[in-house]
Amino acid sequence: MNTPPPHERALINNELCAQELQKGDYQRATVYCDLGLEFSPQYADLWANKGIIAMALDDKKRAKEYFIKALRYNQEHLQSYQNLGTIYLEEGAYGKAHDNFRRALQVNPDNLESRYDLGLTFMKMDKLDKAKKEFNTILAVNPNVSNAHHNLGIIAFQEHDLDTAADHLAQAAQLTPDASEVWHDLGTVLLDQSRFVEAREAFGNCVRLDEQNSSCLNNLAVAQRKAALTDSALKELKDTQTAENSAPALYLLARQYKDKGLLSEEESAYKKCVKLDAKFAPCHFGLFQIFSEAHKQPHAEAACKNFMKYGTAEEFPTEYQTCEKFLNSAAF
């Protein structure tokens, strides 16, 4: 349709509307847009700005009406296609979202925002090859788009291509080091690759940025544990001490487990120690510490009594005093 050129006053009011929109004063913006439309009711930019105002006020129904009106008067209005696509994507109307992002790219193939959102739409539609094509096109133009790397990492992980997933997610983390969700996804891939030390670091960064993230907290604990268990120095020590098979050797191994936060391994080593030599006092005290921290009162009392039975106050002054205090308080 042939739309007449906008009136000069419509141009001025559109500019004023856009300025108020940028300031977040939607009431004044609406006034200027409406005034502009009195001069040029077919001026697409004014309808598009009204659509942006409606979007900002979370009135998606009205926003869609305004963007569709803008496109009726200007079928090359890129921002209206982009914004319509965004609304449809949020609503889960992926077919309509796809069509609008496609039209936006027909107007300007260089528009990376529309290309990214088209890729996102393909992901939602489970058309992963098409999504990858869009994200890779973005990275060919600008290799520093973190979200494109992030999504390619997610797709590669879904396709069980862990090396590619790790590469893209590591680049995303480098580009946006303050994005906790990127660190979470990178940690997940590294954990699957058995790269436990790196996974521990990734989940640690996630927890630093988002202290309440339960998934990162849980996975951090898993990564820490697996990193400790696969630690070559600890494995060597375990082999040496187990081969020696003496109470002092097992005690030393238990203390190493304690330093690494491997509680169940520490407890197991103490139990093997007292089974091998019931009179080795330090292992009884180690068990006491574990049981008292776990609030296992009867077990803690028994371990303390065994420690005091086989250990002396002269040899273990601090530990002896700790056990005396514990047993005295337990008696009340």
Side-chain angles (χ1 to χ4, degrees):
M1 92 188 284
N2 290 326
T3 305
H7 191 282
E8 190 185 340
R9 291 288 300 279
L11 291 167
I12 293 166
N13 279 295
N14 184 53
E15 185 58 38
L16 292 169
C17 173
Q19 285 172 16
E20 295 302 329
L21 189 52
Q22 214 165 9
K23 289 181 200 169
D25 191 336
Y26 305 125
Q27 197 172 353
R28 284 175 70 85
T30 301
V31 168
Y32 285 123
C33 270
D34 287 345
L35 186 57
L37 285 168
E38 287 185 32
F39 288 97
S40 293
Q42 296 178 337
Y43 185 20
D45 285 12
L46 283 165
W47 287 112
N49 276 335
K50 279 180 72 69
I52 294 167
I53 294 165
M55 265 179 100
L57 296 172
D58 206 30
D59 187 348
K60 288 176 186 172
K61 184 174 180 288
R62 192 157 284 176
K64 281 189 282 191
E65 288 170 11
Y66 291 146
F67 291 132
I68 289 164
K69 209 163 217 176
L71 289 167
R72 189 187 304 157
Y73 299 126
N74 178 4
Q75 290 180 2
E76 303 287 294
H77 205 278
L78 188 147
Q79 202 58 47
S80 292
Y81 287 124
Q82 172 61 34
N83 288 332
L84 265 176
T86 302
I87 293 170
Y88 287 130
L89 182 58
E90 285 173 6
E91 290 178 344
Y94 302 130
K96 288 182 177 179
H98 163 272
D99 293 348
N100 278 281
F101 294 134
R102 269 265 181 257
R103 291 298 299 275
L105 287 170
Q106 283 169 8
V107 176
N108 180 9
D110 274 339
N111 189 271
L112 293 188
E113 186 185 4
S114 297
R115 195 169 292 283
Y116 175 80
D117 286 340
L118 179 60
L120 212 54
T121 305
F122 280 133
M123 274 182 85
K124 298 284 188 186
M125 297 167 93
D126 209 29
K127 295 181 177 179
L128 300 184
D129 285 340
K130 289 186 174 183
K132 281 193 288 190
K133 181 175 177 287
E134 300 305 334
F135 295 134
N136 280 317
T137 303
I138 289 168
L139 293 176
V141 177
N142 180 0
N144 296 325
V145 179
S146 175
N147 283 343
H149 281 297
H150 189 186
N151 286 325
L152 282 168
I154 290 169
I155 292 169
F157 183 63
Q158 288 175 346
E159 294 178 336
H160 308 293
D161 181 356
L162 296 181
D163 289 344
T164 302
D167 286 346
H168 278 298
L169 290 166
Q171 287 183 76
Q174 206 174 351
L175 291 164
T176 49
D178 291 338
S180 61
E181 65 278 6
V182 174
W183 287 112
H184 171 273
D185 294 347
L186 175 59
T188 303
V189 173
L190 293 169
L191 209 52
D192 265 32
Q193 289 182 303
S194 300
R195 291 161 67 180
F196 303 125
V197 174
E198 293 164 273
R200 180 180 65 193
E201 189 184 335
F203 288 123
N205 282 328
C206 175
V207 170
R208 179 175 53 79
L209 294 163
D210 182 4
E211 293 173 7
Q212 304 304 315
N213 191 314
S214 59
S215 181
C216 283
L217 285 164
N218 293 337
N219 281 312
L220 175 59
V222 171
Q224 277 174 328
R225 179 175 175 75
K226 293 199 172 182
L229 285 169
T230 52
D231 181 86
S232 56
L234 182 65
K235 192 174 184 304
E236 196 179 323
L237 180 75
K238 182 192 172 190
D239 293 344
T240 309
Q241 305 305 87
T242 308
E244 189 180 317
N245 202 31
S246 69
L250 289 166
Y251 175 73
L252 182 63
L253 180 61
R255 300 307 288 179
Q256 286 294 316
Y257 283 138
K258 184 182 180 72
D259 291 343
K260 298 280 185 184
L262 298 167
L263 192 64
S264 59
E265 282 76 11
E266 182 194 354
E267 184 180 335
S268 175
Y270 287 137
K271 284 178 175 174
K272 282 178 187 169
C273 167
V274 297
K275 192 175 181 184
L276 191 68
D277 181 357
K279 293 181 180 179
F280 192 76
C283 285
H284 287 296
F285 188 78
L287 283 171
F288 154 70
Q289 285 182 306
I290 288 175
F291 293 143
S292 64
E293 280 169 23
H295 305 291
K296 294 179 176 177
Q297 196 77 1
H299 289 80
E301 284 179 36
C304 239
K305 284 173 183 172
N306 283 329
F307 167 73
M308 293 176 80
K309 184 177 174 184
Y310 301 118
T312 63
E314 291 74 27
E315 200 180 355
F316 308 104
T318 311
E319 291 86 346
Y320 209 90
Q321 199 177 11
T322 303
C323 260
E324 275 187 326
K325 275 185 187 172
F326 177 79
L327 290 171
N328 285 337
S329 65
F332 288 102

